[in-house]
Amino acid sequence: MIVVKNLEKHYKIAKRDPGLRGAIKSLFHRKFETKKAVKKINMHINAGEMVGYIGANGAGKSTTIKMLTGILTPTSGEVKVNGIIPYENRQQNASHIGAVFGQRTQLFWDIPVRESYELLKHIYEIPQAQYEETLKEFVDVLHLEPLLGIPVRQLSLGQKMRCELAAAFLHRPKVVYLDEPTIGLDVAVKVRIRAFIKQMNARYGTTVLLTTHDMQDIEEICQRIIIIDDGSVIYDGSIQDIKSQFGDKRVIHFELEDAADSFVLPEEIRALTEVLPTSDEDPHLVSLSFSNKHISGAEVIHTMMNHYSVADLTIADAKIETIVEEIYGRGMKKEVQHEEIR
Amino acid sequence: MRKYVEFARVQMQVHAAYSAWFWANTFSILLRMLVIYFFWKAVYSSRTEIEGLPFEGMITYIIIAMFLQMFVSGVGQELAHTIKDGNVAIELMRPYNLITRLVAMDLGDKVIHFVRGALPLSILAFIFMDITLPTSWQSGLLFFISAFMGIWIGTFFDLLIAILAFWTINLWGLQVMKEAVISFFSGALVPLILFPEWFQTISLFLPFQAMVYVPVAIYTGILSGTEAWLALGSQVFWAVSLFVLLRVLWSIAIKKVTIFGG
Amino acid sequence: MLSRYIKLYYLFCKQNLKVMLEYRMDFLLGVLSVMLQQFAGIFFVKIVFDHIHALNGWTFYEILFIYGIAATGRSIHHIFFDNLWTLGWQYIRPGKFDRLLIRPINPLFHFIADRLQQDGFGQLFIGIIVIGTAMPHLSISWGVLEFFILVVMIIASGFIFVAINLFFATLSFWMVDSLPIVWTIFNLSDFARYPLTIYHKGIRHFLTWIVPYGFTAFYPAAYFIEGSGFERLALLTPVVAIVSCIFAYWFWNRGLKAFTSTGS
């Protein structure tokens, strides 16, 4: 259904010296810097698959999605969605796809939801009978009935997202791109949305490409994940595989009494554990990652307690979340080192 | 006081950051000046004076009035938007007077507008467009006082209209309507002496002529001596009454926010 | 294909009208304000003509006629194509333009159809009244043919406004928001309210052949004014409208292409 070969996207960024002089100088000769947002990506997604597409911010996720939807033309490489090259036949491609882009609404802001759907019916040329049937189904599953008469601007975030999803699936598209469909929603709505996506897939064989930061979404919806980092695919495989591959990974978060910047890994465990970078928000936090094949959690905790006064600790188990955190962590560390070299 | 000076200063920086709009504005004013010049040149092609005004006097009036009109509107739009999007409730909790803050920001805006826009452009107009200096240094001085009053009146009138945003929705329409009424009655398009008698009588009782017509008429010598002082007196009257009216309406509006939640 | 777009436009319109009627006060306020604005301009001309008989040989009603055509033509643009103003700050900057690109219809069509501007009706109303007032005072006898030509001229005038705004709005694809430029260029149309003969030759040529605002009012009006000397040039108005629309649309497509390759 989706075939991507050696896909690349480079951006040219005009470099400008600061200040007025820089502005004038840039009028005459511009210096460009090429940023490779996506580097030689390959992927092959079959009809009916539900794939989680994950990566840190700026890793190249949305650039890829934009190329798949035809909004962006690739620098080189090949994209085919349902046999169509999206950026060449954008409108043709558009009638077979659906999309939800996070917080940006696809619906018409000022008019009631039902009217929005009516318009979409005509835009996508959905036959009346099919439209009625689909809408009825969606209204039941997503509990849309009370929302249909309300203009989109008056809906809450969760209500809006439910309507949004219905709009994306309304014309029974072959592929649906979901970008952060559950961001900022409460648990009950998340559960409903996940159930809906699964049901659509089971019923119509819709191919789903899901990008999210919520690992719960991934674990419940997707059979397969693709992880992208710094423009390259660093993992592509089933969730089972990644679990067994990294299943022995453990992460323990230590809350120290003292600030963590003076923290040094104790000698005894230095060879077997690794410090993960943490956010600056909590200066007392230290996260250690290790494989429980080589060293047990108890041993790590014991050693840490001997050397530092630990206020609190949390053990993260081998959920996909931990694994991805670990993989991201490596990417982030690379970046940090990079920064230092510069 | 200090914080309001700071607001004015920040506003100047904000203005300086939008250089695209600055150039668009400058260019548009130049275009307007060109249209005005050729239009009046054509009007005067077969005569030497209208109501006692020769071409130089007329073009001087029109151009100065055009510049002055740019300064008689204020920050009404900001106030209206603050009211509309509900931020007014947050603003009211802050440790400053919202109106004073907006006026301070407006002042900053006007200063930078004057220095970067109106001043160089009016010098240009002086050189290329047969614009004359005030008839005497006294009328020049009087013009500055009167122009200041005019801007003051315009600023408060603008805020007054903005407070109506509590009761209406279409801000753009309100704004356009205000602009139209001002250019009608303020004498920004033509000197009021060209208007029919009845119209002049009506506008005598409205605050609009105090915004543009009075200062520019003093500049060009249409109003002089006792007449000029009387006109200045009416400006003082309008400035004080609008100020009081603004305070009253504002406190009513605030009550609406605090009691009914906006 | 065409019928599908007409149907779609009708549906978009219907929705837009519904929203408009939801805010009835707004509708009235908007229409009234634009009417007042237009009226201020006409009043100005009237005041000036109280003191002179002719402006460079043009009578009051001839000037009024030019003014009326400008207002009516502009109202077509104002009512149906007002969204052009918002391309940069409401579509491209917040990323809303992407939404149009993943729909199976022409993005320009979608973009234009997204909005119907109520306030423009005020302009249309005033424009028609002004034309109606001036018409009997022109030394031409009005037959069916003249009426037909007048309507064609007004529509052409409207589309010249559209083409010029579309052209400069398209720059937003490269620079995110070209609104200052669009606005400045639009201000050039102020020239078109008066007979172009009062201006310097350079300005006249510029407004005829570079940014053709002259064809939005003065030339089409001159067709109906005996002895204006521009009757021949006036007939070019529909041609100018078509050519500028084609050119602007070509430029829009270039812009769209640039946009999809940089995605900025």
PDB file of all heavy atoms in Angstrom, chain A residues 9 11 71-73 90 106-107 111 115 122-125 153, chain C residues 4 11 15 18-19 23 98-99 101-104 260-262:
ATOM      1  N   LYS A   9      14.759  14.154   1.827  1.00  0.00           N
ATOM      2  CA  LYS A   9      14.277  15.530   1.757  1.00  0.00           C
ATOM      3  C   LYS A   9      15.319  16.455   2.373  1.00  0.00           C
ATOM      4  O   LYS A   9      15.683  16.313   3.527  1.00  0.00           O
ATOM      5  CB  LYS A   9      12.947  15.686   2.504  1.00  0.00           C
ATOM      6  CG  LYS A   9      12.369  17.089   2.416  1.00  0.00           C
ATOM      7  CD  LYS A   9      11.909  17.409   1.022  1.00  0.00           C
ATOM      8  CE  LYS A   9      11.912  18.910   0.763  1.00  0.00           C
ATOM      9  NZ  LYS A   9      11.501  19.223  -0.606  1.00  0.00           N
ATOM     10  N   TYR A  11      16.343  20.469   3.095  1.00  0.00           N
ATOM     11  CA  TYR A  11      15.872  21.854   3.121  1.00  0.00           C
ATOM     12  C   TYR A  11      17.067  22.759   2.954  1.00  0.00           C
ATOM     13  O   TYR A  11      18.120  22.517   3.499  1.00  0.00           O
ATOM     14  CB  TYR A  11      15.216  22.191   4.455  1.00  0.00           C
ATOM     15  CG  TYR A  11      13.913  21.502   4.693  1.00  0.00           C
ATOM     16  CD1 TYR A  11      13.753  20.641   5.763  1.00  0.00           C
ATOM     17  CD2 TYR A  11      12.833  21.728   3.854  1.00  0.00           C
ATOM     18  CE1 TYR A  11      12.544  20.016   6.000  1.00  0.00           C
ATOM     19  CE2 TYR A  11      11.624  21.111   4.079  1.00  0.00           C
ATOM     20  CZ  TYR A  11      11.485  20.253   5.160  1.00  0.00           C
ATOM     21  OH  TYR A  11      10.287  19.641   5.399  1.00  0.00           O
ATOM     22  N   ILE A  71       1.852  16.799   0.246  1.00  0.00           N
ATOM     23  CA  ILE A  71       2.001  18.210   0.575  1.00  0.00           C
ATOM     24  C   ILE A  71       3.414  18.679   0.267  1.00  0.00           C
ATOM     25  O   ILE A  71       3.652  19.838  -0.027  1.00  0.00           O
ATOM     26  CB  ILE A  71       1.664  18.440   2.066  1.00  0.00           C
ATOM     27  CG1 ILE A  71       0.197  18.122   2.331  1.00  0.00           C
ATOM     28  CG2 ILE A  71       1.981  19.859   2.502  1.00  0.00           C
ATOM     29  CD1 ILE A  71      -0.180  18.129   3.784  1.00  0.00           C
ATOM     30  N   LEU A  72       4.360  17.734   0.318  1.00  0.00           N
ATOM     31  CA  LEU A  72       5.757  18.071   0.116  1.00  0.00           C
ATOM     32  C   LEU A  72       6.351  17.196  -0.983  1.00  0.00           C
ATOM     33  O   LEU A  72       6.057  16.015  -1.061  1.00  0.00           O
ATOM     34  CB  LEU A  72       6.490  17.826   1.450  1.00  0.00           C
ATOM     35  CG  LEU A  72       7.737  18.621   1.764  1.00  0.00           C
ATOM     36  CD1 LEU A  72       7.475  20.101   1.664  1.00  0.00           C
ATOM     37  CD2 LEU A  72       8.193  18.275   3.163  1.00  0.00           C
ATOM     38  N   THR A  73       7.173  17.823  -1.833  1.00  0.00           N
ATOM     39  CA  THR A  73       7.843  17.076  -2.893  1.00  0.00           C
ATOM     40  C   THR A  73       9.206  16.625  -2.391  1.00  0.00           C
ATOM     41  O   THR A  73       9.957  17.429  -1.868  1.00  0.00           O
ATOM     42  CB  THR A  73       8.039  17.976  -4.124  1.00  0.00           C
ATOM     43  OG1 THR A  73       6.794  18.597  -4.421  1.00  0.00           O
ATOM     44  CG2 THR A  73       8.503  17.188  -5.320  1.00  0.00           C
ATOM     45  N   ARG A  90      -1.539  14.866  -6.627  1.00  0.00           N
ATOM     46  CA  ARG A  90      -1.956  15.130  -5.254  1.00  0.00           C
ATOM     47  C   ARG A  90      -3.453  14.958  -5.065  1.00  0.00           C
ATOM     48  O   ARG A  90      -3.910  14.338  -4.104  1.00  0.00           O
ATOM     49  CB  ARG A  90      -1.509  16.528  -4.831  1.00  0.00           C
ATOM     50  CG  ARG A  90      -1.353  16.662  -3.330  1.00  0.00           C
ATOM     51  CD  ARG A  90      -1.039  18.074  -2.910  1.00  0.00           C
ATOM     52  NE  ARG A  90      -1.941  18.999  -3.543  1.00  0.00           N
ATOM     53  CZ  ARG A  90      -1.559  19.933  -4.395  1.00  0.00           C
ATOM     54  NH1 ARG A  90      -0.288  20.077  -4.673  1.00  0.00           N
ATOM     55  NH2 ARG A  90      -2.438  20.719  -4.960  1.00  0.00           N
ATOM     56  N   GLN A 106      -9.454  19.832  10.697  1.00  0.00           N
ATOM     57  CA  GLN A 106      -9.760  19.600   9.292  1.00  0.00           C
ATOM     58  C   GLN A 106     -11.193  20.013   8.994  1.00  0.00           C
ATOM     59  O   GLN A 106     -11.611  20.040   7.866  1.00  0.00           O
ATOM     60  CB  GLN A 106      -9.621  18.118   8.938  1.00  0.00           C
ATOM     61  CG  GLN A 106      -8.337  17.493   9.356  1.00  0.00           C
ATOM     62  CD  GLN A 106      -7.215  17.922   8.455  1.00  0.00           C
ATOM     63  OE1 GLN A 106      -7.277  17.763   7.255  1.00  0.00           O
ATOM     64  NE2 GLN A 106      -6.180  18.498   9.042  1.00  0.00           N
ATOM     65  N   LEU A 107     -11.912  20.298  10.051  1.00  0.00           N
ATOM     66  CA  LEU A 107     -13.321  20.632   9.881  1.00  0.00           C
ATOM     67  C   LEU A 107     -13.470  22.127   9.631  1.00  0.00           C
ATOM     68  O   LEU A 107     -12.522  22.877   9.725  1.00  0.00           O
ATOM     69  CB  LEU A 107     -14.086  20.233  11.150  1.00  0.00           C
ATOM     70  CG  LEU A 107     -14.078  18.741  11.449  1.00  0.00           C
ATOM     71  CD1 LEU A 107     -14.503  18.478  12.874  1.00  0.00           C
ATOM     72  CD2 LEU A 107     -15.007  18.012  10.492  1.00  0.00           C
ATOM     73  N   ILE A 111     -19.075  26.305  11.267  1.00  0.00           N
ATOM     74  CA  ILE A 111     -20.358  25.670  10.992  1.00  0.00           C
ATOM     75  C   ILE A 111     -20.520  24.393  11.800  1.00  0.00           C
ATOM     76  O   ILE A 111     -19.539  23.782  12.210  1.00  0.00           O
ATOM     77  CB  ILE A 111     -20.543  25.408   9.480  1.00  0.00           C
ATOM     78  CG1 ILE A 111     -19.490  24.445   8.952  1.00  0.00           C
ATOM     79  CG2 ILE A 111     -20.478  26.701   8.695  1.00  0.00           C
ATOM     80  CD1 ILE A 111     -19.638  24.145   7.482  1.00  0.00           C
ATOM     81  N   GLU A 115     -22.957  19.820   9.320  1.00  0.00           N
ATOM     82  CA  GLU A 115     -22.817  20.537   8.034  1.00  0.00           C
ATOM     83  C   GLU A 115     -21.424  20.323   7.444  1.00  0.00           C
ATOM     84  O   GLU A 115     -21.247  20.199   6.234  1.00  0.00           O
ATOM     85  CB  GLU A 115     -23.066  22.027   8.224  1.00  0.00           C
ATOM     86  CG  GLU A 115     -24.310  22.377   9.004  1.00  0.00           C
ATOM     87  CD  GLU A 115     -25.548  22.407   8.131  1.00  0.00           C
ATOM     88  OE1 GLU A 115     -25.419  22.164   6.919  1.00  0.00           O
ATOM     89  OE2 GLU A 115     -26.647  22.654   8.667  1.00  0.00           O
ATOM     90  N   HIS A 122     -19.709  15.937  -0.238  1.00  0.00           N
ATOM     91  CA  HIS A 122     -19.647  16.419  -1.619  1.00  0.00           C
ATOM     92  C   HIS A 122     -18.213  16.545  -2.115  1.00  0.00           C
ATOM     93  O   HIS A 122     -17.924  16.260  -3.272  1.00  0.00           O
ATOM     94  CB  HIS A 122     -20.372  17.750  -1.741  1.00  0.00           C
ATOM     95  CG  HIS A 122     -21.849  17.606  -1.611  1.00  0.00           C
ATOM     96  ND1 HIS A 122     -22.635  17.146  -2.640  1.00  0.00           N
ATOM     97  CD2 HIS A 122     -22.682  17.809  -0.570  1.00  0.00           C
ATOM     98  CE1 HIS A 122     -23.893  17.094  -2.236  1.00  0.00           C
ATOM     99  NE2 HIS A 122     -23.947  17.503  -0.981  1.00  0.00           N
ATOM    100  N   ILE A 123     -17.327  16.996  -1.223  1.00  0.00           N
ATOM    101  CA  ILE A 123     -15.929  17.157  -1.639  1.00  0.00           C
ATOM    102  C   ILE A 123     -15.339  15.804  -2.047  1.00  0.00           C
ATOM    103  O   ILE A 123     -14.635  15.682  -3.037  1.00  0.00           O
ATOM    104  CB  ILE A 123     -15.097  17.800  -0.511  1.00  0.00           C
ATOM    105  CG1 ILE A 123     -15.495  19.267  -0.355  1.00  0.00           C
ATOM    106  CG2 ILE A 123     -13.601  17.673  -0.788  1.00  0.00           C
ATOM    107  CD1 ILE A 123     -14.842  19.963   0.802  1.00  0.00           C
ATOM    108  N   TYR A 124     -15.650  14.762  -1.263  1.00  0.00           N
ATOM    109  CA  TYR A 124     -15.098  13.447  -1.554  1.00  0.00           C
ATOM    110  C   TYR A 124     -16.014  12.596  -2.423  1.00  0.00           C
ATOM    111  O   TYR A 124     -15.732  11.440  -2.674  1.00  0.00           O
ATOM    112  CB  TYR A 124     -14.780  12.704  -0.249  1.00  0.00           C
ATOM    113  CG  TYR A 124     -13.571  13.261   0.451  1.00  0.00           C
ATOM    114  CD1 TYR A 124     -13.689  14.180   1.472  1.00  0.00           C
ATOM    115  CD2 TYR A 124     -12.280  12.868   0.084  1.00  0.00           C
ATOM    116  CE1 TYR A 124     -12.583  14.707   2.112  1.00  0.00           C
ATOM    117  CE2 TYR A 124     -11.162  13.373   0.719  1.00  0.00           C
ATOM    118  CZ  TYR A 124     -11.322  14.304   1.728  1.00  0.00           C
ATOM    119  OH  TYR A 124     -10.218  14.810   2.347  1.00  0.00           O
ATOM    120  N   GLU A 125     -17.114  13.184  -2.830  1.00  0.00           N
ATOM    121  CA  GLU A 125     -18.085  12.486  -3.682  1.00  0.00           C
ATOM    122  C   GLU A 125     -18.482  11.128  -3.120  1.00  0.00           C
ATOM    123  O   GLU A 125     -18.340  10.088  -3.777  1.00  0.00           O
ATOM    124  CB  GLU A 125     -17.543  12.342  -5.102  1.00  0.00           C
ATOM    125  CG  GLU A 125     -17.319  13.679  -5.772  1.00  0.00           C
ATOM    126  CD  GLU A 125     -16.712  13.551  -7.156  1.00  0.00           C
ATOM    127  OE1 GLU A 125     -15.498  13.312  -7.241  1.00  0.00           O
ATOM    128  OE2 GLU A 125     -17.454  13.676  -8.123  1.00  0.00           O
ATOM    129  N   ARG A 153     -15.937  25.407  16.666  1.00  0.00           N
ATOM    130  CA  ARG A 153     -15.197  26.282  17.578  1.00  0.00           C
ATOM    131  C   ARG A 153     -15.684  26.192  19.020  1.00  0.00           C
ATOM    132  O   ARG A 153     -14.999  26.595  19.941  1.00  0.00           O
ATOM    133  CB  ARG A 153     -15.249  27.721  17.077  1.00  0.00           C
ATOM    134  CG  ARG A 153     -16.607  28.352  17.155  1.00  0.00           C
ATOM    135  CD  ARG A 153     -16.625  29.708  16.489  1.00  0.00           C
ATOM    136  NE  ARG A 153     -17.844  29.887  15.723  1.00  0.00           N
ATOM    137  CZ  ARG A 153     -19.035  30.185  16.257  1.00  0.00           C
ATOM    138  NH1 ARG A 153     -19.142  30.365  17.552  1.00  0.00           N
ATOM    139  NH2 ARG A 153     -20.096  30.316  15.492  1.00  0.00           N
TER     140      ARG A 153
ATOM    141  N   ARG C   4     -19.547  20.058 -11.139  1.00  0.00           N
ATOM    142  CA  ARG C   4     -19.242  19.613  -9.785  1.00  0.00           C
ATOM    143  C   ARG C   4     -18.741  20.797  -8.950  1.00  0.00           C
ATOM    144  O   ARG C   4     -19.140  20.985  -7.801  1.00  0.00           O
ATOM    145  CB  ARG C   4     -18.162  18.535  -9.838  1.00  0.00           C
ATOM    146  CG  ARG C   4     -17.761  18.091  -8.465  1.00  0.00           C
ATOM    147  CD  ARG C   4     -16.815  16.916  -8.459  1.00  0.00           C
ATOM    148  NE  ARG C   4     -16.370  16.742  -7.087  1.00  0.00           N
ATOM    149  CZ  ARG C   4     -15.099  16.675  -6.726  1.00  0.00           C
ATOM    150  NH1 ARG C   4     -14.154  16.732  -7.639  1.00  0.00           N
ATOM    151  NH2 ARG C   4     -14.776  16.544  -5.470  1.00  0.00           N
ATOM    152  N   LEU C  11     -22.680  24.930  -2.322  1.00  0.00           N
ATOM    153  CA  LEU C  11     -22.759  24.370  -0.968  1.00  0.00           C
ATOM    154  C   LEU C  11     -21.922  25.166   0.019  1.00  0.00           C
ATOM    155  O   LEU C  11     -22.343  25.431   1.145  1.00  0.00           O
ATOM    156  CB  LEU C  11     -22.302  22.904  -0.986  1.00  0.00           C
ATOM    157  CG  LEU C  11     -23.259  21.957  -1.692  1.00  0.00           C
ATOM    158  CD1 LEU C  11     -22.567  20.646  -2.020  1.00  0.00           C
ATOM    159  CD2 LEU C  11     -24.490  21.725  -0.826  1.00  0.00           C
ATOM    160  N   GLN C  15     -23.343  27.363   3.336  1.00  0.00           N
ATOM    161  CA  GLN C  15     -22.816  27.295   4.698  1.00  0.00           C
ATOM    162  C   GLN C  15     -22.380  28.671   5.181  1.00  0.00           C
ATOM    163  O   GLN C  15     -22.679  29.072   6.305  1.00  0.00           O
ATOM    164  CB  GLN C  15     -21.622  26.334   4.768  1.00  0.00           C
ATOM    165  CG  GLN C  15     -21.977  24.894   4.474  1.00  0.00           C
ATOM    166  CD  GLN C  15     -23.093  24.389   5.354  1.00  0.00           C
ATOM    167  OE1 GLN C  15     -23.368  24.913   6.422  1.00  0.00           O
ATOM    168  NE2 GLN C  15     -23.783  23.357   4.890  1.00  0.00           N
ATOM    169  N   LYS C  18     -25.252  30.779   6.112  1.00  0.00           N
ATOM    170  CA  LYS C  18     -25.838  30.370   7.387  1.00  0.00           C
ATOM    171  C   LYS C  18     -25.085  31.004   8.543  1.00  0.00           C
ATOM    172  O   LYS C  18     -25.675  31.492   9.504  1.00  0.00           O
ATOM    173  CB  LYS C  18     -25.783  28.841   7.527  1.00  0.00           C
ATOM    174  CG  LYS C  18     -26.990  28.160   6.941  1.00  0.00           C
ATOM    175  CD  LYS C  18     -26.952  26.693   7.290  1.00  0.00           C
ATOM    176  CE  LYS C  18     -27.693  25.874   6.267  1.00  0.00           C
ATOM    177  NZ  LYS C  18     -27.311  24.460   6.311  1.00  0.00           N
ATOM    178  N   VAL C  19     -23.739  30.977   8.443  1.00  0.00           N
ATOM    179  CA  VAL C  19     -22.930  31.579   9.500  1.00  0.00           C
ATOM    180  C   VAL C  19     -23.237  33.069   9.601  1.00  0.00           C
ATOM    181  O   VAL C  19     -23.383  33.619  10.690  1.00  0.00           O
ATOM    182  CB  VAL C  19     -21.426  31.365   9.214  1.00  0.00           C
ATOM    183  CG1 VAL C  19     -20.583  32.078  10.256  1.00  0.00           C
ATOM    184  CG2 VAL C  19     -21.103  29.889   9.189  1.00  0.00           C
ATOM    185  N   TYR C  23     -25.035  35.702  12.841  1.00  0.00           N
ATOM    186  CA  TYR C  23     -24.640  36.981  13.440  1.00  0.00           C
ATOM    187  C   TYR C  23     -25.287  38.117  12.673  1.00  0.00           C
ATOM    188  O   TYR C  23     -24.621  38.817  11.927  1.00  0.00           O
ATOM    189  CB  TYR C  23     -23.117  37.148  13.392  1.00  0.00           C
ATOM    190  CG  TYR C  23     -22.351  36.022  14.014  1.00  0.00           C
ATOM    191  CD1 TYR C  23     -21.709  35.077  13.228  1.00  0.00           C
ATOM    192  CD2 TYR C  23     -22.251  35.915  15.398  1.00  0.00           C
ATOM    193  CE1 TYR C  23     -20.995  34.041  13.803  1.00  0.00           C
ATOM    194  CE2 TYR C  23     -21.547  34.890  15.969  1.00  0.00           C
ATOM    195  CZ  TYR C  23     -20.915  33.953  15.170  1.00  0.00           C
ATOM    196  OH  TYR C  23     -20.210  32.943  15.735  1.00  0.00           O
ATOM    197  N   ASP C  98      -2.083  23.290   4.595  1.00  0.00           N
ATOM    198  CA  ASP C  98      -1.925  21.848   4.365  1.00  0.00           C
ATOM    199  C   ASP C  98      -3.270  21.149   4.229  1.00  0.00           C
ATOM    200  O   ASP C  98      -3.416  20.208   3.466  1.00  0.00           O
ATOM    201  CB  ASP C  98      -1.147  21.217   5.520  1.00  0.00           C
ATOM    202  CG  ASP C  98       0.301  21.671   5.525  1.00  0.00           C
ATOM    203  OD1 ASP C  98       0.691  22.393   4.577  1.00  0.00           O
ATOM    204  OD2 ASP C  98       1.036  21.322   6.463  1.00  0.00           O
ATOM    205  N   ARG C  99      -4.230  21.630   4.995  1.00  0.00           N
ATOM    206  CA  ARG C  99      -5.565  21.037   4.955  1.00  0.00           C
ATOM    207  C   ARG C  99      -6.137  21.066   3.544  1.00  0.00           C
ATOM    208  O   ARG C  99      -6.763  20.123   3.086  1.00  0.00           O
ATOM    209  CB  ARG C  99      -6.469  21.823   5.899  1.00  0.00           C
ATOM    210  CG  ARG C  99      -7.868  21.294   5.967  1.00  0.00           C
ATOM    211  CD  ARG C  99      -8.773  22.227   6.719  1.00  0.00           C
ATOM    212  NE  ARG C  99      -9.285  23.262   5.851  1.00  0.00           N
ATOM    213  CZ  ARG C  99     -10.229  24.124   6.189  1.00  0.00           C
ATOM    214  NH1 ARG C  99     -10.727  24.091   7.392  1.00  0.00           N
ATOM    215  NH2 ARG C  99     -10.642  25.029   5.348  1.00  0.00           N
ATOM    216  N   LEU C 101      -4.462  21.077   0.848  1.00  0.00           N
ATOM    217  CA  LEU C 101      -3.684  20.256  -0.082  1.00  0.00           C
ATOM    218  C   LEU C 101      -4.028  18.773  -0.011  1.00  0.00           C
ATOM    219  O   LEU C 101      -3.687  18.015  -0.904  1.00  0.00           O
ATOM    220  CB  LEU C 101      -2.192  20.448   0.174  1.00  0.00           C
ATOM    221  CG  LEU C 101      -1.644  21.816  -0.232  1.00  0.00           C
ATOM    222  CD1 LEU C 101      -0.180  21.940   0.158  1.00  0.00           C
ATOM    223  CD2 LEU C 101      -1.804  22.038  -1.721  1.00  0.00           C
ATOM    224  N   ILE C 102      -4.670  18.355   1.071  1.00  0.00           N
ATOM    225  CA  ILE C 102      -5.014  16.930   1.126  1.00  0.00           C
ATOM    226  C   ILE C 102      -6.496  16.706   0.825  1.00  0.00           C
ATOM    227  O   ILE C 102      -7.074  15.707   1.203  1.00  0.00           O
ATOM    228  CB  ILE C 102      -4.638  16.293   2.480  1.00  0.00           C
ATOM    229  CG1 ILE C 102      -5.281  17.056   3.634  1.00  0.00           C
ATOM    230  CG2 ILE C 102      -3.135  16.241   2.662  1.00  0.00           C
ATOM    231  CD1 ILE C 102      -5.211  16.311   4.941  1.00  0.00           C
ATOM    232  N   ARG C 103      -7.089  17.651   0.124  1.00  0.00           N
ATOM    233  CA  ARG C 103      -8.467  17.471  -0.326  1.00  0.00           C
ATOM    234  C   ARG C 103      -8.455  17.216  -1.829  1.00  0.00           C
ATOM    235  O   ARG C 103      -7.625  17.791  -2.540  1.00  0.00           O
ATOM    236  CB  ARG C 103      -9.281  18.740  -0.045  1.00  0.00           C
ATOM    237  CG  ARG C 103      -9.487  19.019   1.424  1.00  0.00           C
ATOM    238  CD  ARG C 103     -10.775  18.388   1.900  1.00  0.00           C
ATOM    239  NE  ARG C 103     -10.845  18.282   3.347  1.00  0.00           N
ATOM    240  CZ  ARG C 103     -11.194  19.271   4.154  1.00  0.00           C
ATOM    241  NH1 ARG C 103     -11.487  20.443   3.656  1.00  0.00           N
ATOM    242  NH2 ARG C 103     -11.262  19.087   5.439  1.00  0.00           N
ATOM    243  N   PRO C 104      -9.390  16.400  -2.285  1.00  0.00           N
ATOM    244  CA  PRO C 104      -9.376  16.067  -3.713  1.00  0.00           C
ATOM    245  C   PRO C 104     -10.008  17.142  -4.596  1.00  0.00           C
ATOM    246  O   PRO C 104     -10.654  16.826  -5.576  1.00  0.00           O
ATOM    247  CB  PRO C 104     -10.183  14.766  -3.762  1.00  0.00           C
ATOM    248  CG  PRO C 104     -11.108  14.863  -2.612  1.00  0.00           C
ATOM    249  CD  PRO C 104     -10.400  15.641  -1.550  1.00  0.00           C
ATOM    250  N   THR C 260       5.279  23.446  -2.134  1.00  0.00           N
ATOM    251  CA  THR C 260       5.353  22.008  -1.871  1.00  0.00           C
ATOM    252  C   THR C 260       6.780  21.484  -1.942  1.00  0.00           C
ATOM    253  O   THR C 260       7.036  20.360  -1.550  1.00  0.00           O
ATOM    254  CB  THR C 260       4.496  21.186  -2.852  1.00  0.00           C
ATOM    255  OG1 THR C 260       4.911  21.502  -4.171  1.00  0.00           O
ATOM    256  CG2 THR C 260       3.033  21.492  -2.690  1.00  0.00           C
ATOM    257  N   SER C 261       7.713  22.289  -2.432  1.00  0.00           N
ATOM    258  CA  SER C 261       9.077  21.767  -2.414  1.00  0.00           C
ATOM    259  C   SER C 261       9.875  22.292  -1.224  1.00  0.00           C
ATOM    260  O   SER C 261      10.892  21.718  -0.868  1.00  0.00           O
ATOM    261  CB  SER C 261       9.796  22.044  -3.738  1.00  0.00           C
ATOM    262  OG  SER C 261      10.070  23.407  -3.828  1.00  0.00           O
ATOM    263  N   THR C 262       9.407  23.371  -0.607  1.00  0.00           N
ATOM    264  CA  THR C 262      10.111  23.822   0.601  1.00  0.00           C
ATOM    265  C   THR C 262       9.292  23.551   1.849  1.00  0.00           C
ATOM    266  O   THR C 262       9.830  23.320   2.913  1.00  0.00           O
ATOM    267  CB  THR C 262      10.390  25.336   0.562  1.00  0.00           C
ATOM    268  OG1 THR C 262       9.160  26.009   0.386  1.00  0.00           O
ATOM    269  CG2 THR C 262      11.330  25.685  -0.550  1.00  0.00           C
TER     270      THR C 262
END
